[in-house]
Amino acid sequence: MVDDKTLGGRLFNYTNLFLLGLIALITVLPFLHVIAASFATNAELAEKKFLLFPTVFSLDAYRYIFSTDTIFKAMAVSIGVTVLGTAWSMFFSILTAYGLSKKDLVGRRFLLFFVVFTMLFNGGMIPTFLIVKYTGLLDTLAALVIPVTLNAFNLIILKSFFQNMPDSLEEAARIDGCSDFGTLFRIVIPCSMPAIATISLFYAVTYWNTYMHAILYLNDASKWPVQVLLRQIVVLATGINYDGSEMMNVAPPEITVKMAVIVVATVPVLLVYPFLQKHFTKGALLGSVKE
């Protein structure tokens, strides 16, 4: 903020606050519309293109979505994949990034080259599918985690954070008798929580939004994550039970169901974010210039 003792400073601050508030409002309004539309009726949505407060409160869309336990099973799959997948990816990301952050590591440039190379080129859908198939991962939940264990972008950010940590911390730990793993888990990781929380959130959102891999690798509908099931509801306008039968015989309220589906898929991530906000704010400034 500029010094508000002068007229120019006050005008700048008020203009800045107004513009930032306007941007924040533009960002929030669409989501408020989605929430309101999910509780509205189709008739009201047909009359009003933009809705913030429904005049008639309706739960038909949510009744349709939660008409069977199918949605709860899909949510359980997504939560399990997200939690275990994030822990799995962070374990290997931390170990790999910590190793690559050491400038005296033999073959460091060679390994970094292959990490960056994967950001530019990949094997493609068919070779990846064949690898998943012949390694026995096809139609298992592990197929949603193992092929995407490491993300090159996240790995490089974490490596840069470790690399910028003062060497004196690790030297002091070694003087006190810490091994390499002891230094990592007792000194480096506790001091790197902003970066770890940020990368964990990136991985968690990726796993939660898993869709294409589930379509490619899962044939059993009982193993579908929530994103695939919600696609059945939104795109095909029908909910499918695990036995292949439809969830309801009544036609769903099409527009409101789509809005309710967005809310169901988004709320879990929004509930987790406040607990990571403190660390995420610091981690988002990785690489920024500090005085």
Side-chain angles (χ1 to χ4, degrees):
M1 299 289 286
V2 178
D3 185 10
D4 58 358
K5 294 182 179 179
T6 63
L7 177 60
R10 288 195 296 271
L11 288 176
F12 176 83
N13 288 336
Y14 292 147
T15 304
N16 194 25
L17 291 174
F18 172 77
L19 292 176
L20 290 177
L22 183 61
I23 294 173
L25 186 63
I26 294 174
T27 304
V28 172
L29 281 178
F31 189 66
L32 294 179
H33 166 68
V34 169
I35 296 176
S38 68
F39 291 105
T41 62
N42 276 334
E44 186 173 7
L45 286 178
E47 296 177 359
K48 302 176 182 178
K49 298 301 180 182
F50 188 80
L51 183 69
L52 289 179
F53 300 100
T55 55
V56 179
F57 190 83
S58 174
L59 293 175
D60 291 343
Y62 291 96
R63 290 194 186 98
Y64 175 77
I65 294 176
F66 297 109
S67 58
T68 69
D69 62 351
T70 305
I71 186 69
F72 297 104
K73 293 179 180 178
M75 291 281 285
V77 170
S78 287
I79 292 174
V81 169
T82 300
V83 173
L84 296 178
T86 301
W88 172 270
S89 292
M90 286 305 302
F91 176 77
F92 286 100
S93 294
I94 289 173
L95 291 181
T96 307
Y98 182 66
L100 292 176
S101 67
K102 302 305 174 185
K103 297 181 180 180
D104 58 349
L105 177 69
V106 178
R108 177 174 176 268
R109 290 183 177 274
F110 180 77
L111 295 174
L112 282 174
F113 169 77
F114 277 99
V115 171
V116 176
F117 186 83
T118 61
M119 298 177 66
L120 305 175
F121 305 97
N122 60 69
M125 183 184 299
I126 295 177
T128 304
F129 177 84
L130 292 176
I131 292 175
V132 171
K133 178 181 178 181
Y134 290 118
T135 52
L137 297 177
L138 198 63
D139 211 22
T140 66
L141 294 180
L144 305 181
V145 176
I146 294 178
V148 291
T149 297
L150 290 178
N151 179 279
F153 178 78
N154 294 340
L155 184 62
I156 291 175
I157 291 180
L158 205 54
K159 190 256 324 174
S160 300
F161 190 90
F162 289 156
Q163 192 169 320
N164 291 329
M165 292 188 64
D167 295 334
S168 57
L169 290 176
E170 297 185 36
E171 292 173 358
R174 291 191 179 92
I175 292 175
D176 289 337
C178 273
S179 62
D180 289 334
F181 282 102
T183 302
L184 173 62
F185 290 103
R186 294 183 180 181
I187 305 298
V188 176
I189 291 180
C191 293
S192 306
M193 288 310 298
I196 291 175
T198 302
I199 302 303
S200 296
L201 185 61
F202 290 165
Y203 275 122
V205 171
T206 300
Y207 281 117
W208 179 260
N209 290 330
T210 295
Y211 168 75
M212 183 56 68
H213 287 174
I215 291 292
L216 291 175
Y217 306 142
L218 300 182
N219 298 319
D220 187 355
S222 64
K223 298 175 182 178
W224 281 353
V226 68
Q227 304 297 342
V228 179
L229 181 65
L230 296 182
R231 180 256 183 189
Q232 295 292 113
I233 299 174
V234 174
V235 177
L236 303 182
T238 113
I240 305 297
N241 282 323
Y242 295 145
D243 59 2
S245 60
E246 292 190 2
M247 291 170 59
M248 291 181 64
N249 295 325
V250 181
E254 183 177 349
I255 302 177
T256 55
V257 162
K258 291 181 179 181
M259 299 300 181
V261 160
I262 296 174
V263 174
V264 170
T266 306
V267 164
V269 177
L270 294 180
L271 293 177
V272 172
Y273 177 76
F275 296 98
L276 299 176
Q277 183 179 8
K278 176 181 177 181
H279 296 300
F280 181 79
T281 303
K282 295 179 181 178
L285 298 177
L286 292 176
S288 63
V289 177
K290 298 182 180 180
E291 294 182 359

